[in-house]
Amino acid sequence: MSVLVINCNHWIGYHIVNTLLNHDYLVEGIESEIEHDDLSMFFGRNSSFSFYNKEEMKRYDTCICVGDYEHMETIHADRIIMINPQKSYRKLNPDSITTLLASHLFGEWMPMTEKGYYRNQEFIAFQSNEFIENAIYIEDFSERLIHCLQSGNLPSNIEVKSEHSNGKESKENGDSIYICSSLQLEQRMTALQKQYQLIKEKNK
């Protein structure tokens, strides 16, 4: 299956590309002009990854767009998955689009400090109830996204929630997906804080 990932150098896009490559997908990427291109350097040398060439006019099995992209009408894909878009894409065929609303993702390379992270300019503390009850580790989300790709029929809108959200157990309920954590939240948080300190020291 061929997959195009738009905004592949966004921290979420980076993790999605890595997960796709680990599952032996052929991946092409479009970089965001407002993000640093450092992350795309990590997978740029993988033989299963290449950067999008608009001159080739390829058709993809699936396009995954992280956030928004001004030129979506130029993309040819049998299925389009939009992750946390801010805009409406009325010109596109609604039957081919699935919107994933996953507002509580966290993971390596996200904008953060030692005490928390930023989500749409809002600071979320690691010790807050909002984080403890709703946070979804990005690699757990990316692995579940692979299952979505393998599914034949997806609803037009899916809300992605933590297994701890509202005290509900991990299950699918209508157009919502509840994601299990592969490690305890405290372990993820500690690993992130260590990485943050290493990067901070490196950049001094």
Side-chain angles (χ1 to χ4, degrees), residues 101-158:
L101 301 176
S103 59
H104 293 280
L105 300 178
F106 77 101
E108 292 82 3
W109 309 111
M110 66 181 181
M112 64 175 287
T113 70
E114 189 175 0
K115 295 184 177 180
Y117 64 102
Y118 292 92
R119 187 191 68 200
N120 297 330
Q121 309 303 318
E122 177 187 6
F123 185 74
I124 308 296
F126 288 132
Q127 301 298 332
S128 66
N129 287 335
E130 183 171 5
F131 177 77
I132 294 170
E133 295 175 3
N134 299 308
I136 300 169
Y137 182 56
I138 183 61
E139 289 190 8
D140 294 331
F141 168 79
S142 297
E143 288 292 338
R144 190 57 181 272
L145 180 60
I146 297 296
H147 291 289
C148 288
L149 295 184
Q150 296 168 349
S151 173
N153 295 309
L154 293 174
S156 58
N157 293 282
I158 300 176

Side-chain angles (χ1 to χ4, degrees), residues 80 89-99 154-157:
I80 298 174
Y89 294 89
R90 296 177 181 177
K91 293 182 179 180
L92 302 178
N93 179 6
D95 295 332
S96 66
I97 298 178
T98 293
T99 299
L154 293 174
S156 58
N157 293 282

Side-chain angles (χ1 to χ4, degrees), residues 17 37 43 62 64 79 110 122 124 139 193 197:
V17 170
D37 59 1
F43 44 76
T62 301
I64 300 172
R79 175 171 52 180
M110 66 181 181
E122 177 187 6
I124 308 296
E139 289 190 8
Q193 289 171 326
Q197 288 296 337

Side-chain angles (χ1 to χ4, degrees), residues 4-5 8-9 27-32 37 39-46 48-54 56 58 60:
L4 175 67
V5 178
C8 63
N9 56 331
V27 183
E28 290 193 15
I30 297 178
E31 292 182 304
S32 166
D37 59 1
L39 290 181
S40 57
M41 292 173 59
F42 286 104
F43 44 76
R45 294 180 181 177
N46 190 303
S48 295
F49 177 87
S50 59
F51 287 104
Y52 173 75
N53 184 344
K54 62 182 180 180
E56 294 182 356
K58 287 185 181 179
Y60 302 89

Side-chain angles (χ1 to χ4, degrees), residues 10-29:
H10 185 282
W11 74 269
I12 294 175
Y14 161 79
H15 284 280
I16 289 173
V17 170
N18 268 343
T19 302
L20 289 167
L21 292 174
N22 287 338
H23 283 269
D24 298 322
Y25 283 84
L26 293 175
V27 183
E28 290 193 15

Side-chain angles (χ1 to χ4, degrees), residues 106 131-132 135 137 140 163-164 180-192:
F106 77 101
F131 177 77
I132 294 170
Y137 182 56
D140 294 331
E163 62 180 324
H164 303 295
C180 296
S181 178
S182 56
L183 280 178
Q184 291 184 354
L185 206 57
E186 186 175 344
Q187 291 177 276
R188 296 293 190 195
M189 182 181 67
T190 301
L192 276 177

